[in-house]
Coordinates of all heavy atoms in Angstrom, one line a residue:
L209 N -9.7 -45.4 -22.5 CA -8.9 -44.4 -23.3 C -9.5 -43.0 -23.0 O -8.7 -42.0 -22.9 CB -9.0 -44.8 -24.7 CG -8.1 -43.9 -25.7 CD1 -6.6 -44.0 -25.3 CD2 -8.3 -44.4 -27.1
E210 N -10.8 -42.8 -22.9 CA -11.4 -41.5 -22.7 C -11.0 -40.9 -21.4 O -10.8 -39.7 -21.2 CB -12.9 -41.6 -22.8 CG -13.4 -41.8 -24.2 CD -14.9 -42.0 -24.3 OE1 -15.6 -41.4 -23.4 OE2 -15.4 -42.6 -25.2
R211 N -10.9 -41.8 -20.4 CA -10.5 -41.3 -19.1 C -9.1 -40.7 -19.1 O -8.8 -39.7 -18.5 CB -10.5 -42.5 -18.1 CG -11.9 -42.9 -17.7 CD -11.9 -44.0 -16.7 NE -13.2 -44.6 -16.5 CZ -13.4 -45.7 -15.9 NH1 -12.4 -46.4 -15.3 NH2 -14.6 -46.2 -15.8
V212 N -8.2 -41.4 -19.8 CA -6.8 -40.9 -19.9 C -6.8 -39.5 -20.6 O -6.1 -38.6 -20.2 CB -5.9 -41.9 -20.6 CG1 -4.5 -41.3 -20.8 CG2 -5.8 -43.2 -19.7
T213 N -7.6 -39.4 -21.7 CA -7.6 -38.2 -22.5 C -8.2 -37.1 -21.6 O -7.7 -35.9 -21.7 CB -8.5 -38.4 -23.7 OG1 -7.9 -39.5 -24.4 CG2 -8.4 -37.2 -24.6
D214 N -9.3 -37.3 -20.9 CA -9.9 -36.3 -20.1 C -8.9 -35.8 -19.0 O -8.8 -34.6 -18.7 CB -11.2 -36.8 -19.4 CG -12.3 -37.1 -20.4 OD1 -12.2 -36.5 -21.5 OD2 -13.3 -37.8 -20.1
Y215 N -8.2 -36.7 -18.4 CA -7.3 -36.4 -17.4 C -6.2 -35.5 -17.9 O -5.8 -34.5 -17.3 CB -6.7 -37.7 -16.7 CG -5.6 -37.4 -15.7 CD1 -6.0 -36.9 -14.5 CD2 -4.3 -37.6 -16.0 CE1 -5.0 -36.6 -13.5 CE2 -3.3 -37.3 -15.0 CZ -3.7 -36.8 -13.8 OH -2.7 -36.6 -12.9
A216 N -5.6 -35.8 -19.1 CA -4.6 -35.1 -19.7 C -5.1 -33.7 -20.0 O -4.3 -32.7 -19.8 CB -4.0 -35.8 -20.9
E217 N -6.3 -33.5 -20.6 CA -6.8 -32.2 -20.9 C -7.0 -31.4 -19.7 O -6.7 -30.2 -19.7 CB -8.1 -32.4 -21.7 CG -7.9 -32.9 -23.1 CD -9.3 -33.2 -23.8 OE1 -10.3 -33.0 -23.2 OE2 -9.2 -33.6 -25.0
E218 N -7.6 -32.0 -18.6 CA -7.8 -31.2 -17.4 C -6.4 -30.7 -16.8 O -6.3 -29.6 -16.4 CB -8.5 -32.1 -16.3 CG -9.9 -32.3 -16.6 CD -10.6 -33.2 -15.6 OE1 -10.0 -33.4 -14.5 OE2 -11.6 -33.7 -15.9
K219 N -5.4 -31.5 -16.9 CA -4.1 -31.1 -16.4 C -3.5 -30.0 -17.2 O -3.0 -29.0 -16.6 CB -3.1 -32.3 -16.5 CG -1.9 -32.1 -15.7 CD -1.1 -33.4 -15.6 CE 0.1 -33.2 -14.7 NZ 0.9 -34.4 -14.6
E220 N -3.7 -30.0 -18.5 CA -3.2 -28.9 -19.3 C -4.0 -27.6 -19.1 O -3.4 -26.5 -19.0 CB -3.4 -29.2 -20.8 CG -2.4 -30.3 -21.3 CD -2.7 -30.7 -22.7 OE1 -3.5 -30.1 -23.4 OE2 -2.1 -31.7 -23.1
I221 N -5.3 -27.7 -18.9 CA -6.1 -26.5 -18.6 C -5.7 -25.9 -17.2 O -5.6 -24.7 -17.1 CB -7.6 -26.9 -18.6 CG1 -8.1 -27.2 -20.0 CG2 -8.5 -25.8 -18.0 CD1 -9.5 -27.8 -20.1
Q222 N -5.5 -26.8 -16.3 CA -5.1 -26.3 -14.9 C -3.8 -25.5 -15.0 O -3.6 -24.5 -14.3 CB -5.1 -27.4 -13.9 CG -6.4 -28.0 -13.6 CD -6.4 -29.2 -12.7 OE1 -5.3 -29.7 -12.4 NE2 -7.5 -29.7 -12.3
S223 N -2.8 -26.0 -15.7 CA -1.5 -25.4 -15.8 C -1.6 -24.0 -16.5 O -1.0 -23.0 -16.1 CB -0.5 -26.2 -16.5 OG -0.8 -26.4 -17.8
S224 N -2.5 -23.9 -17.5 CA -2.6 -22.6 -18.2 C -3.4 -21.6 -17.3 O -3.1 -20.4 -17.3 CB -3.4 -22.8 -19.5 OG -4.7 -23.2 -19.3
N225 N -4.3 -22.1 -16.5 CA -5.0 -21.3 -15.6 C -4.1 -20.8 -14.5 O -4.2 -19.6 -14.1 CB -6.2 -22.0 -14.9 CG -7.4 -22.2 -15.8 OD1 -7.5 -21.5 -16.8 ND2 -8.3 -23.1 -15.4
L226 N -3.2 -21.6 -14.1 CA -2.2 -21.2 -13.1 C -1.3 -20.1 -13.6 O -1.0 -19.1 -12.9 CB -1.4 -22.4 -12.6 CG -0.3 -22.2 -11.6 CD1 -1.0 -21.7 -10.3 CD2 0.5 -23.5 -11.3
E227 N -0.8 -20.3 -14.8 CA 0.0 -19.2 -15.4 C -0.7 -17.9 -15.5 O -0.2 -16.9 -15.3 CB 0.5 -19.7 -16.8 CG 1.5 -20.8 -16.7 CD 1.8 -21.4 -18.1 OE1 1.4 -20.8 -19.1 OE2 2.6 -22.4 -18.2
T228 N -2.0 -18.0 -16.0 CA -2.8 -16.8 -16.1 C -3.0 -16.1 -14.7 O -2.8 -14.9 -14.6 CB -4.2 -17.1 -16.7 OG1 -4.0 -17.7 -17.9 CG2 -5.0 -15.8 -16.9
A229 N -3.3 -16.9 -13.7 CA -3.5 -16.4 -12.4 C -2.2 -15.7 -11.8 O -2.2 -14.7 -11.2 CB -3.9 -17.5 -11.4
M230 N -1.1 -16.4 -12.1 CA 0.2 -15.8 -11.6 C 0.5 -14.5 -12.3 O 1.0 -13.6 -11.7 CB 1.3 -16.8 -11.9 CG 1.2 -18.1 -11.0 SD 1.3 -17.7 -9.2 CE 3.0 -17.3 -9.1
S231 N 0.2 -14.4 -13.6 CA 0.5 -13.1 -14.3 C -0.4 -12.0 -13.8 O 0.0 -10.9 -13.6 CB 0.4 -13.3 -15.8 OG -1.0 -13.5 -16.2
V232 N -1.7 -12.4 -13.5 CA -2.6 -11.4 -12.9 C -2.2 -10.9 -11.6 O -2.2 -9.7 -11.3 CB -4.1 -12.0 -12.9 CG1 -5.0 -11.1 -12.0 CG2 -4.6 -12.2 -14.3
I233 N -1.7 -11.8 -10.8 CA -1.2 -11.5 -9.4 C 0.0 -10.6 -9.5 O 0.2 -9.6 -8.8 CB -0.9 -12.7 -8.6 CG1 -2.2 -13.4 -8.2 CG2 -0.1 -12.4 -7.3 CD1 -2.1 -14.8 -7.6
G234 N 0.9 -10.9 -10.4 CA 2.1 -10.1 -10.6 C 1.8 -8.7 -11.1 O 2.4 -7.8 -10.7
D235 N 0.9 -8.6 -12.1 CA 0.4 -7.3 -12.6 C -0.2 -6.5 -11.4 O 0.1 -5.3 -11.3 CB -0.6 -7.5 -13.7 CG 0.1 -8.0 -15.0 OD1 1.3 -8.0 -15.0 OD2 -0.7 -8.5 -15.8
R236 N -1.0 -7.1 -10.7 CA -1.7 -6.4 -9.6 C -0.7 -5.9 -8.5 O -0.7 -4.8 -8.1 CB -2.7 -7.3 -8.9 CG -3.5 -6.5 -7.8 CD -4.5 -7.4 -7.2 NE -5.5 -7.9 -8.1 CZ -6.3 -8.9 -8.0 NH1 -6.2 -9.7 -6.9 NH2 -7.2 -9.3 -8.9
R237 N 0.3 -6.8 -8.2 CA 1.3 -6.4 -7.2 C 2.2 -5.2 -7.7 O 2.5 -4.3 -7.0 CB 2.2 -7.6 -6.9 CG 3.1 -7.4 -5.8 CD 3.9 -8.6 -5.4 NE 2.9 -9.6 -4.8 CZ 3.1 -10.9 -4.7 NH1 4.2 -11.4 -5.2 NH2 2.3 -11.7 -4.1
S238 N 2.5 -5.3 -9.0 CA 3.3 -4.2 -9.5 C 2.6 -2.9 -9.6 O 3.1 -1.8 -9.3 CB 3.9 -4.5 -10.9 OG 2.8 -4.6 -11.9
R239 N 1.3 -2.9 -9.9 CA 0.4 -1.7 -9.9 C 0.3 -1.2 -8.5 O 0.4 0.1 -8.3 CB -1.0 -2.0 -10.5 CG -1.0 -2.0 -12.0 CD -2.4 -2.2 -12.5 NE -2.7 -3.6 -12.3 CZ -3.8 -4.2 -12.3 NH1 -4.9 -3.5 -12.4 NH2 -4.0 -5.5 -12.1
E240 N 0.1 -2.0 -7.5 CA 0.0 -1.6 -6.1 C 1.3 -0.9 -5.7 O 1.3 0.1 -5.0 CB -0.3 -2.7 -5.2 CG -1.8 -3.2 -5.4 CD -2.1 -4.5 -4.6 OE1 -1.1 -5.1 -4.0 OE2 -3.3 -4.9 -4.6
Q241 N 2.5 -1.5 -6.0 CA 3.8 -1.0 -5.7 C 4.0 0.4 -6.3 O 4.4 1.3 -5.7 CB 4.9 -1.9 -6.1 CG 5.3 -2.9 -5.1 CD 6.5 -3.7 -5.5 OE1 6.8 -3.8 -6.6 NE2 7.3 -4.1 -4.5
K242 N 3.6 0.5 -7.6 CA 3.7 1.8 -8.3 C 2.8 2.9 -7.6 O 3.3 4.0 -7.4 CB 3.4 1.6 -9.7 CG 3.6 2.8 -10.6 CD 3.4 2.6 -12.0 CE 3.7 3.8 -12.9 NZ 3.4 3.6 -14.3
A243 N 1.6 2.5 -7.3 CA 0.7 3.4 -6.6 C 1.3 3.9 -5.3 O 1.2 5.0 -4.9 CB -0.7 2.8 -6.5
K244 N 1.8 2.9 -4.5 CA 2.4 3.2 -3.2 C 3.6 4.2 -3.4 O 3.7 5.1 -2.6 CB 2.8 1.9 -2.5 CG 3.3 2.1 -1.1 CD 3.6 0.8 -0.5 CE 4.0 0.9 1.0 NZ 4.3 -0.3 1.6
Q245 N 4.4 4.0 -4.4 CA 5.6 4.8 -4.6 C 5.1 6.2 -5.0 O 5.7 7.2 -4.5 CB 6.5 4.3 -5.7 CG 7.3 3.1 -5.3 CD 8.0 2.4 -6.4 OE1 7.8 2.7 -7.6 NE2 8.9 1.5 -6.1
E246 N 4.1 6.3 -5.8 CA 3.6 7.6 -6.2 C 3.0 8.4 -5.0 O 3.2 9.6 -4.8 CB 2.5 7.5 -7.3 CG 3.1 7.1 -8.6 CD 2.0 6.8 -9.7 OE1 0.8 7.1 -9.4 OE2 2.4 6.4 -10.8
R247 N 2.3 7.6 -4.1 CA 1.7 8.2 -2.9 C 2.9 8.8 -2.0 O 2.7 9.8 -1.4 CB 0.9 7.2 -2.2 CG 0.4 7.6 -0.8 CD -0.8 8.5 -0.9 NE -1.4 8.7 0.4 CZ -1.8 9.9 0.8 NH1 -1.9 10.9 0.0 NH2 -2.3 10.0 2.0
E248 N 3.9 8.0 -1.9 CA 5.1 8.4 -1.1 C 5.7 9.7 -1.6 O 6.1 10.6 -0.9 CB 6.1 7.3 -0.9 CG 5.6 6.1 -0.1 CD 5.3 6.4 1.3 OE1 6.0 7.3 1.9 OE2 4.3 5.9 1.8
K249 N 5.8 9.8 -3.0 CA 6.4 11.0 -3.6 C 5.5 12.2 -3.3 O 6.0 13.3 -3.0 CB 6.5 10.8 -5.1 CG 7.6 9.9 -5.5 CD 7.7 9.7 -7.0 CE 8.8 8.8 -7.4 NZ 8.8 8.6 -8.9
E250 N 4.1 12.0 -3.4 CA 3.2 13.1 -3.1 C 3.4 13.5 -1.6 O 3.4 14.7 -1.3 CB 1.8 12.6 -3.3 CG 1.4 12.5 -4.8 CD 0.0 12.0 -4.9 OE1 -0.8 12.2 -4.0 OE2 -0.3 11.5 -6.0
L251 N 3.5 12.6 -0.7 CA 3.6 12.9 0.7 C 4.9 13.6 1.0 O 5.0 14.5 1.8 CB 3.5 11.7 1.6 CG 2.1 11.0 1.7 CD1 2.2 9.8 2.5 CD2 1.1 12.0 2.2
A252 N 6.0 13.3 0.2 CA 7.3 13.9 0.4 C 7.2 15.4 0.0 O 8.0 16.2 0.5 CB 8.3 13.1 -0.3
K253 N 6.4 15.7 -0.9 CA 6.3 17.1 -1.4 C 5.6 18.0 -0.4 O 5.8 19.2 -0.4 CB 5.5 17.2 -2.7 CG 6.2 16.5 -3.8 CD 5.4 16.6 -5.1 CE 6.1 15.9 -6.3 NZ 5.2 15.9 -7.5
V254 N 4.8 17.5 0.6 CA 4.1 18.3 1.5 C 5.1 18.9 2.5 O 5.9 18.2 3.1 CB 3.1 17.4 2.3 CG1 2.4 18.2 3.4 CG2 2.0 16.8 1.3
T255 N 4.9 20.2 2.7 CA 5.8 20.9 3.6 C 5.1 20.9 5.0 O 3.9 21.1 5.1 CB 6.1 22.4 3.2 OG1 4.8 23.0 3.0 CG2 6.8 22.4 1.9
I256 N 5.9 20.7 6.0 CA 5.4 20.7 7.4 C 6.3 21.6 8.2 O 7.5 21.8 7.9 CB 5.4 19.2 7.9 CG1 6.8 18.6 7.9 CG2 4.4 18.4 7.3 CD1 6.9 17.2 8.6
K257 N 5.7 22.1 9.2 CA 6.4 23.0 10.1 C 7.1 22.2 11.2 O 6.5 21.3 11.8 CB 5.5 24.0 10.7 CG 4.8 25.0 9.7 CD 3.9 25.9 10.4 CE 3.2 26.8 9.4 NZ 2.2 27.6 10.0
K258 N 8.3 22.7 11.6 CA 9.0 22.0 12.6 C 8.3 22.1 14.0 O 8.3 21.1 14.7 CB 10.4 22.6 12.8 CG 11.3 22.0 13.8 CD 12.7 22.6 13.8 CE 13.6 22.0 14.8 NZ 14.9 22.6 14.9
E259 N 7.6 23.2 14.2 CA 6.9 23.4 15.5 C 5.7 22.4 15.6 O 5.5 21.9 16.6 CB 6.4 24.8 15.6 CG 7.4 25.9 15.6 CD 7.8 26.3 14.1 OE1 7.0 26.2 13.2 OE2 9.0 26.7 14.0
D260 N 5.0 22.2 14.4 CA 3.9 21.3 14.4 C 4.4 19.9 14.7 O 3.8 19.1 15.4 CB 3.2 21.3 13.1 CG 2.5 22.7 12.8 OD1 2.3 23.4 13.8 OD2 2.1 23.0 11.7
L261 N 5.5 19.5 14.1 CA 6.1 18.2 14.2 C 6.5 18.0 15.7 O 6.1 16.9 16.3 CB 7.3 18.0 13.4 CG 8.0 16.7 13.4 CD1 7.1 15.6 12.8 CD2 9.3 16.8 12.5
E262 N 7.1 18.9 16.3 CA 7.5 18.8 17.7 C 6.3 18.8 18.6 O 6.3 18.0 19.6 CB 8.4 19.9 18.1 CG 9.8 19.8 17.4 CD 10.7 21.0 17.7 OE1 10.3 21.9 18.4 OE2 11.8 21.0 17.2
L263 N 5.3 19.5 18.3 CA 4.0 19.5 19.1 C 3.4 18.1 19.1 O 3.0 17.6 20.2 CB 3.0 20.6 18.5 CG 1.6 20.5 19.2 CD1 1.7 21.1 20.6 CD2 0.6 21.2 18.3
I264 N 3.3 17.6 18.0 CA 2.7 16.2 17.9 C 3.5 15.2 18.6 O 3.0 14.3 19.3 CB 2.5 15.8 16.4 CG1 1.3 16.7 15.8 CG2 2.1 14.3 16.3 CD1 1.1 16.4 14.3
M265 N 4.8 15.3 18.4 CA 5.7 14.3 19.1 C 5.6 14.4 20.6 O 5.5 13.4 21.3 CB 7.2 14.6 18.7 CG 7.5 14.2 17.3 SD 9.2 14.7 16.8 CE 10.2 14.2 18.1
T266 N 5.5 15.6 21.2 CA 5.5 15.8 22.6 C 4.1 15.4 23.2 O 3.9 14.8 24.2 CB 5.9 17.2 23.1 OG1 5.1 18.1 22.4 CG2 7.4 17.4 22.8
E267 N 3.1 15.9 22.5 CA 1.7 15.7 23.0 C 1.2 14.3 22.9 O 0.6 13.8 23.8 CB 0.7 16.7 22.3 CG 0.9 18.1 22.6 CD 0.7 18.5 24.1 OE1 -0.2 17.9 24.7 OE2 1.5 19.3 24.6
M268 N 1.6 13.6 21.8 CA 1.1 12.3 21.5 C 2.1 11.2 22.0 O 1.8 10.1 22.0 CB 0.7 12.1 20.1 CG -0.3 13.1 19.5 SD -1.8 13.1 20.5 CE -2.4 11.4 20.2
E269 N 3.3 11.7 22.3 CA 4.4 10.8 22.7 C 4.6 9.7 21.7 O 4.6 8.5 22.0 CB 4.1 10.2 24.1 CG 4.0 11.2 25.2 CD 3.7 10.6 26.6 OE1 3.5 9.4 26.6 OE2 3.7 11.4 27.5
I270 N 4.8 10.1 20.4 CA 5.1 9.2 19.4 C 6.4 9.6 18.7 O 7.0 10.7 19.0 CB 4.0 9.2 18.3 CG1 3.8 10.6 17.7 CG2 2.7 8.7 18.9 CD1 2.8 10.6 16.5
S271 N 6.9 8.7 17.9 CA 8.2 8.9 17.3 C 8.1 10.0 16.2 O 7.0 10.4 15.8 CB 8.7 7.7 16.6 OG 7.9 7.3 15.5
R272 N 9.3 10.5 15.9 CA 9.4 11.6 14.9 C 8.8 11.1 13.5 O 8.1 11.9 12.9 CB 10.8 12.0 14.7 CG 11.0 13.2 13.7 CD 12.5 13.6 13.6 NE 12.6 14.9 13.0 CZ 12.5 16.0 13.6 NH1 12.3 16.1 14.9 NH2 12.6 17.2 12.9
A273 N 9.1 9.9 13.2 CA 8.6 9.4 11.9 C 7.1 9.3 11.8 O 6.5 9.6 10.8 CB 9.3 8.0 11.6
A274 N 6.5 8.8 12.9 CA 5.1 8.7 13.0 C 4.4 10.0 13.0 O 3.4 10.2 12.3 CB 4.7 7.9 14.2
A275 N 5.0 11.0 13.7 CA 4.4 12.3 13.7 C 4.5 13.0 12.3 O 3.6 13.6 11.8 CB 5.1 13.2 14.7
E276 N 5.7 12.8 11.7 CA 5.9 13.4 10.4 C 4.9 12.8 9.3 O 4.3 13.4 8.5 CB 7.3 13.2 9.9 CG 7.7 13.8 8.6 CD 9.2 13.7 8.3 OE1 10.0 13.6 9.2 OE2 9.5 13.8 7.1
R277 N 4.8 11.5 9.4 CA 3.8 10.7 8.5 C 2.4 11.3 8.7 O 1.7 11.5 7.7 CB 3.9 9.2 8.8 CG 3.0 8.4 8.0 CD 3.5 8.3 6.6 NE 2.5 7.5 5.8 CZ 2.8 7.0 4.7 NH1 4.0 7.2 4.1 NH2 2.0 6.2 4.0
S278 N 2.0 11.4 9.9 CA 0.6 11.9 10.2 C 0.4 13.3 9.6 O -0.6 13.6 9.0 CB 0.3 11.8 11.7 OG -1.0 12.3 11.9
L279 N 1.4 14.1 9.8 CA 1.3 15.5 9.3 C 1.3 15.5 7.8 O 0.5 16.3 7.2 CB 2.5 16.3 9.8 CG 2.3 17.2 11.1 CD1 3.6 17.8 11.5 CD2 1.2 18.2 10.9
R280 N 2.1 14.8 7.2 CA 2.1 14.7 5.7 C 0.8 14.2 5.1 O 0.3 14.7 4.1 CB 3.3 13.9 5.2 CG 4.6 14.6 5.5 CD 5.8 13.9 4.8 NE 7.1 14.4 5.2 CZ 7.6 15.5 4.7 NH1 7.0 16.2 3.7 NH2 8.8 16.0 5.1
E281 N 0.3 13.2 5.8 CA -1.0 12.6 5.3 C -2.1 13.6 5.4 O -3.1 13.5 4.6 CB -1.3 11.3 6.1 CG -0.5 10.2 5.8 CD -0.8 8.9 6.6 OE1 -1.5 9.1 7.6 OE2 -0.3 7.9 6.2
H282 N -2.0 14.6 6.3 CA -3.1 15.6 6.5 C -2.6 16.9 5.9 O -3.1 18.0 6.3 CB -3.4 15.7 8.0 CG -4.1 14.4 8.5 ND1 -3.4 13.4 9.1 CD2 -5.4 14.0 8.4 CE1 -4.3 12.5 9.4 NE2 -5.5 12.8 9.0
M283 N -1.7 16.9 5.0 CA -1.3 18.0 4.2 C -0.7 19.2 5.1 O -1.0 20.3 4.9 CB -2.4 18.6 3.3 CG -2.9 17.6 2.3 SD -1.5 17.0 1.3 CE -2.3 15.8 0.3
G284 N -0.1 18.8 6.2 CA 0.5 19.7 7.1 C -0.5 20.3 8.1 O -0.1 21.2 8.9
N285 N -1.7 19.9 8.1 CA -2.7 20.4 9.1 C -2.6 19.7 10.4 O -3.0 18.6 10.6 CB -4.1 20.2 8.5 CG -5.2 20.9 9.3 OD1 -5.1 21.0 10.5 ND2 -6.3 21.3 8.6
V286 N -2.1 20.5 11.4 CA -1.8 19.9 12.7 C -3.0 19.5 13.4 O -3.0 18.4 14.1 CB -0.9 20.8 13.5 CG1 -1.7 22.1 14.0 CG2 -0.3 20.1 14.7
V287 N -4.1 20.2 13.3 CA -5.3 19.9 14.0 C -5.9 18.6 13.5 O -6.3 17.7 14.3 CB -6.4 21.0 13.8 CG1 -7.7 20.6 14.5 CG2 -5.8 22.3 14.5
E288 N -6.0 18.4 12.2 CA -6.5 17.1 11.6 C -5.6 16.0 12.0 O -6.1 14.9 12.3 CB -6.6 17.2 10.1 CG -7.8 18.1 9.6 CD -7.9 18.2 8.1 OE1 -7.3 17.3 7.4 OE2 -8.6 19.1 7.6
A289 N -4.3 16.2 12.0 CA -3.4 15.1 12.3 C -3.6 14.7 13.8 O -3.6 13.5 14.1 CB -1.9 15.6 12.1
L290 N -3.7 15.7 14.7 CA -4.0 15.3 16.1 C -5.3 14.6 16.3 O -5.4 13.7 17.1 CB -3.9 16.6 16.9 CG -2.5 17.1 17.2 CD1 -2.6 18.5 17.8 CD2 -1.7 16.2 18.1
I291 N -6.3 15.1 15.6 CA -7.6 14.4 15.7 C -7.5 13.0 15.3 O -8.1 12.1 16.0 CB -8.7 15.2 14.9 CG1 -9.0 16.5 15.6 CG2 -10.0 14.4 14.8 CD1 -9.9 17.5 14.8
T292 N -6.9 12.7 14.2 CA -6.8 11.4 13.7 C -6.0 10.5 14.7 O -6.3 9.3 14.9 CB -6.1 11.3 12.3 OG1 -6.9 12.1 11.4 CG2 -5.9 9.9 11.8
L293 N -4.9 11.0 15.3 CA -4.1 10.3 16.2 C -4.8 10.0 17.5 O -4.5 9.0 18.2 CB -2.8 11.0 16.5 CG -1.8 11.1 15.3 CD1 -0.7 12.0 15.6 CD2 -1.2 9.7 15.1
T294 N -5.7 10.8 17.9 CA -6.5 10.6 19.2 C -7.6 9.6 19.0 O -8.1 9.0 19.9 CB -7.0 11.9 19.8 OG1 -7.8 12.6 18.8 CG2 -5.9 12.8 20.2
N295 N -8.1 9.5 17.8 CA -9.2 8.5 17.5 C -8.7 7.1 17.4 O -8.1 6.4 17.2 CB -10.0 8.9 16.3 CG -10.8 10.2 16.6 OD1 -11.1 10.5 17.7 ND2 -11.1 10.9 15.5

């Protein structure tokens, strides 16, 4: 009888741990998504020069989106963007 009781208790504990773990994972995922969206909004606010964008595209032979992303991540500083792309 004790074996059956112990087994049933372990099974209940495992299911509650699973629910807790799933909620923690869900919370973490939503926080990461929110942080990513906020970062994208910040990057969208950065102004970049068309000349700098074209320079990076031609010199590094990368797509417009990649060049624009690099420039925005470096707050429009073309030198820092190029250094990062070459490393």
